[in-house]
Amino acid sequence: MRPGRLLLVALIAFAAAVAGVLAARWFVPALRQPGSELHALLHDGLDLDAAQQAKLDALERQFALRKRALEMELRADNARLAAAIEAEHSAGPRVRDAVDRIHVAMGALQKETLAHVFAMRAILRPDQAARFDQAVVKALTAEAR
């Protein structure tokens, strides 16, 4: 195939790919992030007073820092796992150790997230907490439904 014709085919293929991505974004609804409904409820649906909002903002800042640190730790553990796989080419002792470290980091992140959820709940009035509890259950069971 001549270079000019090859370039034309490549441009048509690229344009078709871009059109496909745009069409998919238009017609297929975006997946909601887990917990996004809970976050929306907290910030928009519970009519928090100023004191509650200030406490929530402080909790969000603290959690964001801790979450970022744990996610960085998890990324480092994943890099160690990749290096172990590359070195051992099997489920050897370095690979098993790296997997164990990943599980510890994942568990720590989950525990921090739960502590954050309970800290947020603690600033709510009983009527707000009941709605919050329902949203938590819904968020945790969304994929099961």
Side-chain angles (χ1 to χ4, degrees):
M1 188 179 279
R2 294 184 318 193
R5 192 173 286 261
L6 184 61
L7 180 61
L8 179 62
V9 169
L11 286 173
I12 291 171
F14 178 74
V18 169
V21 168
L22 293 175
R25 285 182 172 225
W26 180 264
F27 291 110
V28 179
L31 295 174
R32 294 185 65 97
Q33 290 288 346
S36 62
E37 290 179 26
L38 181 60
H39 195 265
L41 174 68
L42 261 172
H43 288 280
D44 302 323
L46 291 180
D47 299 320
L48 300 177
D49 62 35
Q52 288 175 310
Q53 188 62 54
K55 289 176 185 174
L56 178 61
D57 291 344
L59 289 173
E60 293 285 341
R61 283 190 302 275
Q62 292 167 357
F63 179 65
L65 291 173
R66 185 67 183 132
K67 181 180 176 189
R68 193 171 315 125
L70 289 168
E71 287 173 342
M72 288 173 57
E73 182 179 328
L74 191 53
R75 279 193 291 279
D77 289 339
N78 280 331
R80 280 189 279 279
L81 175 60
I85 289 170
E86 188 174 46
E88 294 182 329
H89 300 289
S90 69
R94 285 183 57 194
V95 169
R96 287 192 302 273
D97 182 55
V99 168
D100 290 343
R101 288 179 66 129
I102 289 170
H103 289 166
V104 169
M106 289 170 63
L109 180 56
Q110 190 170 28
K111 288 175 184 176
E112 283 290 329
T113 302
L114 287 171
H116 177 60
V117 167
F118 291 126
M120 291 186 296
R121 187 185 190 285
I123 67 171
L124 301 175
R125 296 185 312 265
D127 61 307
Q128 294 169 323
R131 290 183 58 208
F132 180 80
D133 292 346
Q134 290 173 346
V136 168
V137 169
K138 185 177 178 183
L140 290 173
T141 59
E143 287 190 25
R145 284 183 261 141

PDB file of all heavy atoms in Angstrom, residues 13 32 47 55 95 102:
ATOM      1  N   ALA A  13      -9.360   5.556  10.484  1.00  0.00           N
ATOM      2  CA  ALA A  13      -9.470   4.689  11.663  1.00  0.00           C
ATOM      3  C   ALA A  13      -9.437   5.507  12.949  1.00  0.00           C
ATOM      4  O   ALA A  13     -10.209   5.257  13.880  1.00  0.00           O
ATOM      5  CB  ALA A  13      -8.350   3.651  11.658  1.00  0.00           C
ATOM      6  N   ARG A  32     -21.247   5.536  38.577  1.00  0.00           N
ATOM      7  CA  ARG A  32     -21.113   6.351  39.782  1.00  0.00           C
ATOM      8  C   ARG A  32     -20.021   5.759  40.653  1.00  0.00           C
ATOM      9  O   ARG A  32     -19.899   4.556  40.784  1.00  0.00           O
ATOM     10  CB  ARG A  32     -22.434   6.387  40.538  1.00  0.00           C
ATOM     11  CG  ARG A  32     -23.524   7.102  39.765  1.00  0.00           C
ATOM     12  CD  ARG A  32     -24.772   7.207  40.608  1.00  0.00           C
ATOM     13  NE  ARG A  32     -24.548   8.024  41.759  1.00  0.00           N
ATOM     14  CZ  ARG A  32     -24.866   9.306  41.851  1.00  0.00           C
ATOM     15  NH1 ARG A  32     -25.393   9.927  40.848  1.00  0.00           N
ATOM     16  NH2 ARG A  32     -24.648   9.973  42.964  1.00  0.00           N
ATOM     17  N   ASP A  47     -29.041  18.879  55.532  1.00  0.00           N
ATOM     18  CA  ASP A  47     -29.223  20.210  56.137  1.00  0.00           C
ATOM     19  C   ASP A  47     -28.341  20.389  57.374  1.00  0.00           C
ATOM     20  O   ASP A  47     -28.814  20.663  58.474  1.00  0.00           O
ATOM     21  CB  ASP A  47     -30.694  20.453  56.505  1.00  0.00           C
ATOM     22  CG  ASP A  47     -31.594  20.413  55.288  1.00  0.00           C
ATOM     23  OD1 ASP A  47     -31.182  20.944  54.231  1.00  0.00           O
ATOM     24  OD2 ASP A  47     -32.703  19.854  55.389  1.00  0.00           O
ATOM     25  N   LYS A  55     -17.170  20.859  61.265  1.00  0.00           N
ATOM     26  CA  LYS A  55     -16.593  19.594  61.714  1.00  0.00           C
ATOM     27  C   LYS A  55     -16.411  18.631  60.542  1.00  0.00           C
ATOM     28  O   LYS A  55     -15.382  17.952  60.450  1.00  0.00           O
ATOM     29  CB  LYS A  55     -17.482  18.951  62.784  1.00  0.00           C
ATOM     30  CG  LYS A  55     -17.459  19.676  64.112  1.00  0.00           C
ATOM     31  CD  LYS A  55     -18.425  19.043  65.092  1.00  0.00           C
ATOM     32  CE  LYS A  55     -18.482  19.848  66.381  1.00  0.00           C
ATOM     33  NZ  LYS A  55     -19.519  19.343  67.300  1.00  0.00           N
ATOM     34  N   VAL A  95       7.172 -12.810  46.202  1.00  0.00           N
ATOM     35  CA  VAL A  95       5.825 -12.504  45.697  1.00  0.00           C
ATOM     36  C   VAL A  95       4.813 -12.645  46.836  1.00  0.00           C
ATOM     37  O   VAL A  95       3.971 -11.759  47.044  1.00  0.00           O
ATOM     38  CB  VAL A  95       5.461 -13.406  44.496  1.00  0.00           C
ATOM     39  CG1 VAL A  95       3.983 -13.281  44.143  1.00  0.00           C
ATOM     40  CG2 VAL A  95       6.333 -13.065  43.291  1.00  0.00           C
ATOM     41  N   ILE A 102       0.492  -5.933  50.597  1.00  0.00           N
ATOM     42  CA  ILE A 102      -0.633  -5.272  49.925  1.00  0.00           C
ATOM     43  C   ILE A 102      -1.905  -5.476  50.729  1.00  0.00           C
ATOM     44  O   ILE A 102      -2.688  -4.540  50.927  1.00  0.00           O
ATOM     45  CB  ILE A 102      -0.791  -5.782  48.478  1.00  0.00           C
ATOM     46  CG1 ILE A 102       0.357  -5.246  47.613  1.00  0.00           C
ATOM     47  CG2 ILE A 102      -2.145  -5.394  47.888  1.00  0.00           C
ATOM     48  CD1 ILE A 102       0.448  -5.872  46.237  1.00  0.00           C
TER      49      ILE A 102
END
